Amino acid sequence: MLELRTNQSRKPRGSKPGGQLIDGLGSGRRSVVAGHAVYNNSAPFVVEDEDALLTVPQLIRKYGYEVEEYQVPTEDGYLLAMYRIPSRTNSGKHPVFMMHSLFSSCSDWVLIGPKHGLAYLLADRGYDIWMGNARGTRYSRNHERLAVNSAEFWDFTFHEIGFYDVPALIDFVLDRTGFSKLHYIGFSQGAMTSFIALTSRPQYNAKIVQLQALSPAVYMYRSLSSFIRLGVTLRQEIEAAFDAAGLMEVVPHFEQQYHFWKWLCPAPQQTACRTIIYNVAGANPKQLDVKMLQIFLGHFPAGASVKQALHYLQIITDGIFRQFDYEYPAKNTLVYGNSTVPRYDLSKATAPVRTYYGYNDNVVNYLNVLQLEREIPNVVGSYAVPDKRFTHADFILANNVKEVLYDEVVRNVERAERDAS
């Protein structure tokens, strides 16, 4: 049974009084958005400190957009949060479904605020926006039968997200809107799990107008991050440590998260946080705003399963896009009917695909994206972000992300929409 909670009482812009000024890190240009006075410093974003503490629906409402909230059931009983920004114009355009990255949530699409966030850019063009949240993340921690603190709840990897979550969310959007197809936009894991859905359930290829795959994390074995390489080296020790501690979830979201990271990484240097992000994602300091990083860390990380993280370390180690390896022939045979772990047959992903990659992406090396392009049959476009220093984190946080990436994504969605009409 799905639950629907709809916000139909959105206040118009300017109706909310007060609001604190952002604590500037220097002189900035003062402006007002939705009744809130803010400062713009080095970044173009109109955001506030409090954005770090708001949920995604609260953020959307704050900036003057209507939002609808749903719980979507999967075949195996998980209840997934889905947030919709309905079309303001009833334009008749195909709906847009958006799926987030690993350890994150659908905040990926709205965090940098109006006029810049990809969900807002598309909503402003009359699209009906639907944002999914994978199982185990901050917003999808419910199940029809299982308790969230049970081992059974956390017994999943990105395979189940692709096999169960993505199809359930796609079908929900199509059922609610009456369309037979939708636009799919996925970032990192959100793009990778689309390929799991399209190869494991090939009938879903017919439900995609076009897939915009932003830094698709299908192949990751060329990662340049020493943190990721260390994780690969210590994979067995990491697994043993989590088992010994009885932990099933990794990097969960917690209430004081923003305040913790702000204390650990005080502005303006933010040394510890920037060191981690630069190593994992790639370094592009001029494009990572101090204020935006603080707000981001109020939302990220948002949780994942230990088994899911271990699955990533496996495919990085092996360089093979396949299901989870239990590393015991008898266990693999019990689960898969064969001691050989099944690979995802990318030739079955026949939906039109556009890929996007950055040359300074430490997580998904651009050569891995080009390898993916050679293995899928219907690549209709390949876009290298023109900023040569563009990193994995820049796909959602860079000061210039609208100009160097999102404007191109929007153009391609509009082009695909015209072709589908």
Side-chain angles (χ1 to χ4, degrees):
M1 178 69 69
L2 67 89
E3 298 177 10
L4 166 63
R5 304 181 302 284
T6 307
N7 175 51
Q8 299 290 0
S9 58
R10 175 175 56 84
K11 293 182 180 180
R13 293 184 183 271
S15 64
K16 184 177 179 180
Q20 291 186 333
L21 294 176
I22 286 185
D23 51 327
L25 300 170
S27 60
R29 179 174 56 83
R30 189 173 182 273
S31 61
V32 177
V33 172
H36 298 269
V38 299
Y39 278 115
N40 294 327
N41 295 295
S42 61
F45 311 127
V46 181
V47 292
E48 296 182 297
D49 276 342
E50 71 165 10
D51 292 3
L53 304 174
L54 300 180
T55 64
V56 166
Q58 289 170 337
L59 277 174
I60 295 171
R61 294 184 183 110
K62 171 183 173 178
Y63 289 108
Y65 292 80
E66 184 179 341
V67 61
E68 298 173 2
E69 304 178 49
Y70 300 89
Q71 277 194 333
V72 179
T74 67
E75 292 177 36
D76 57 345
Y78 287 82
L79 300 173
L80 311 176
M82 172 88 90
Y83 302 136
R84 178 190 193 185
I85 304 176
S87 172
R88 291 171 166 175
T89 62
N90 295 317
S91 63
K93 296 179 178 179
H94 289 83
V96 175
F97 171 62
M98 311 179 79
M99 202 64 182
H100 62 81
S101 57
L102 174 65
F103 301 140
S104 196
S105 71
C106 69
S107 64
D108 283 356
W109 309 116
V110 298
L111 205 56
I112 59 177
K115 307 300 182 185
H116 294 92
L118 186 55
Y120 295 130
L121 294 175
L122 289 164
D124 290 345
R125 286 160 176 78
Y127 286 95
D128 186 8
I129 307 301
W130 297 79
M131 296 175 288
N133 291 278
R135 63 184 63 197
T137 57
R138 173 186 183 184
Y139 299 110
S140 295
R141 300 173 62 84
N142 294 299
H143 193 281
E144 294 172 346
R145 303 176 305 278
L146 303 176
V148 71
N149 59 354
S150 67
E152 293 81 5
F153 181 95
W154 294 102
D155 187 20
F156 65 84
T157 78
F158 56 71
H159 171 78
E160 284 75 20
I161 295 171
F163 188 80
Y164 292 112
D165 295 7
V166 168
L169 294 166
I170 288 174
D171 284 342
F172 187 85
V173 173
L174 297 180
D175 180 68
R176 290 288 303 181
T177 61
F179 282 87
S180 60
K181 292 186 175 185
L182 50 72
H183 299 277
Y184 189 118
I185 301 176
F187 168 47
S188 194
Q189 177 182 265
M192 180 255 272
T193 50
S194 72
F195 289 106
I196 295 175
L198 297 177
T199 58
S200 302
R201 302 186 181 217
Q203 66 271 27
Y204 279 84
N205 285 282
K207 301 183 181 187
I208 307 297
V209 175
Q210 193 171 104
L211 167 59
Q212 312 295 326
L214 281 58
S215 189
V218 171
Y219 293 113
M220 301 172 62
Y221 63 91
R222 293 184 176 95
S223 171
L224 299 177
S225 166
S226 58
F227 279 23
I228 292 176
R229 305 311 307 181
L230 181 63
V232 168
T233 301
L234 299 178
R235 176 167 56 90
Q236 293 180 337
E237 289 80 0
I238 292 170
E239 182 174 7
F242 276 101
D243 284 345
L247 297 175
M248 301 160 288
E249 182 180 9
V250 63
V251 293
H253 184 272
F254 58 97
E255 186 175 353
Q256 297 300 315
Q257 183 165 302
Y258 167 66
H259 300 290
F260 170 76
W261 289 115
K262 193 172 182 181
W263 166 79
L264 184 65
C265 305
Q269 289 82 11
Q270 302 173 312
T271 303
C273 293
R274 286 180 178 263
T275 297
I276 295 171
I277 289 175
Y278 293 165
N279 184 284
V280 174
N284 193 7
K286 291 183 179 179
Q287 296 302 330
L288 184 57
D289 178 66
V290 171
K291 178 61 61 180
M292 198 65 249
L293 176 55
Q294 288 180 340
I295 293 171
F296 171 67
L297 292 173
H299 294 262
F300 181 96
S305 77
V306 171
K307 188 177 179 182
Q308 182 179 348
L310 292 173
H311 197 176
Y312 271 99
L313 295 179
Q314 285 184 359
I315 66 170
I316 295 169
T317 301
D318 301 333
I320 302 172
F321 187 41
R322 62 180 179 179
Q323 295 189 41
F324 186 78
D325 185 359
Y326 290 92
E327 300 183 334
Y328 295 98
K331 178 66 172 178
N332 284 337
T333 300
L334 179 64
V335 174
Y336 303 122
N338 195 303
S339 61
T340 301
V341 180
R343 297 190 182 199
Y344 300 107
D345 183 357
L346 288 167
S347 68
K348 293 182 178 179
T350 58
V353 177
R354 286 185 181 272
T355 63
Y356 303 80
Y357 55 87
Y359 286 115
N360 192 32
D361 187 334
N362 270 7
V363 178
V364 182
N365 187 285
Y366 75 96
L367 294 174
N368 283 338
V369 179
L370 299 181
Q371 178 180 346
L372 170 65
E373 291 177 4
R374 293 192 295 270
E375 296 184 21
I376 53 179
N378 196 5
V379 178
V380 297
S382 177
Y383 181 76
V385 178
D387 178 356
K388 301 298 184 183
R389 297 187 63 83
F390 204 79
T391 74
H392 200 68
D394 288 343
F395 278 84
I396 55 172
L397 290 178
N399 294 345
N400 64 352
V401 67
K402 176 184 179 295
E403 291 74 21
V404 300
L405 175 63
Y406 289 169
D407 285 348
E408 177 70 13
V409 175
V410 170
R411 281 192 293 268
N412 288 331
V413 170
E414 295 271 51
R415 185 180 296 114
E417 178 65 28
R418 289 193 298 270
D419 292 343
S421 299

